[in-house]
Amino acid sequence: MIHPAAARAAMARALAAAELSGADDVPVGAVVLGPDGAVLASAGNRREADADPTAHAEMIAIRAAATRFGDGWRLTGCTLVVTLEPCAMCAGALVAARVSELVFGAWEPKTGAVGSVWDVVRDPRVTHRVTVRAGVMESECAAVLRDFFAHHRS
Ligand SMILES: [Zn+2]
């Protein structure tokens, strides 16, 4: 399991990656770390910018990491670090990609699928399990979202 200090350092990178989100997109950032801790990919949320319902930060980062990691589509031993609790689509992609560990920052009580609404990655019926560390730099991650919604909703 990733060391707490390494998880925080990676979350700082994920927060920076949130700036890759589209101007009208909810700012969410994700990075994928290889088993050695090196960054394989980083991405922001591009759903609005790319008019793509699947262009969540996690999906973009997982796709990019798989092309670089060299084990086909598998990300075994890799860690995905994301500023917000993944949705059902992204949690499903984590399982499908065989990602070993997930680190996330803020909770998403309305759509979160790693403990809030569902728990896709630890469902006993799912054969691949993902180790989860939740709430890393939670207040910093939540602040980015709060700032965005304060300026995009009247
Ligand atoms: Zn998602």
Side-chain angles (χ1 to χ4, degrees):
M1 202 165 165
I2 191 169
H3 189 276
R8 288 181 64 84
M11 188 58 77
R13 284 174 169 272
L15 277 163
E19 292 171 18
L20 302 169
S21 300
D24 296 323
D25 279 292
V26 176
V28 177
V31 298
V32 176
L33 307 177
D36 60 355
V39 175
L40 290 171
S42 57
N45 176 27
R46 306 278 309 166
R47 185 173 64 173
E48 301 286 348
D50 296 351
D52 178 353
T54 73
H56 288 186
E58 301 97 309
M59 302 294 285
I60 298 169
I62 285 169
R63 278 196 200 103
T67 65
R68 278 163 213 159
F69 187 50
D71 188 20
W73 51 268
R74 289 177 194 80
L75 293 173
T76 306
C78 295
T79 299
L80 185 133
V81 182
V82 59
T83 56
L84 183 65
E85 182 185 1
C87 71
M89 171 180 69
C90 295
L94 284 166
V95 172
R98 309 285 192 268
V99 168
S100 293
E101 185 163 352
L102 166 69
V103 177
F104 73 84
W107 292 91
E108 173 46 275
K110 292 189 191 119
T111 60
V114 188
S116 286
V117 182
W118 301 280
D119 197 346
V120 171
V121 304
R122 287 170 293 197
D123 187 303
R125 293 163 293 189
V126 174
T127 51
H128 175 75
R129 297 294 176 81
V130 180
T131 301
V132 178
R133 185 189 296 271
V136 173
M137 296 176 71
E138 181 177 4
S139 58
E140 292 91 334
C141 292
V144 171
L145 297 165
R146 226 174 16 247
D147 287 352
F148 174 82
F149 287 113
H151 292 100
H152 283 75
R153 275 185 191 160
S154 52

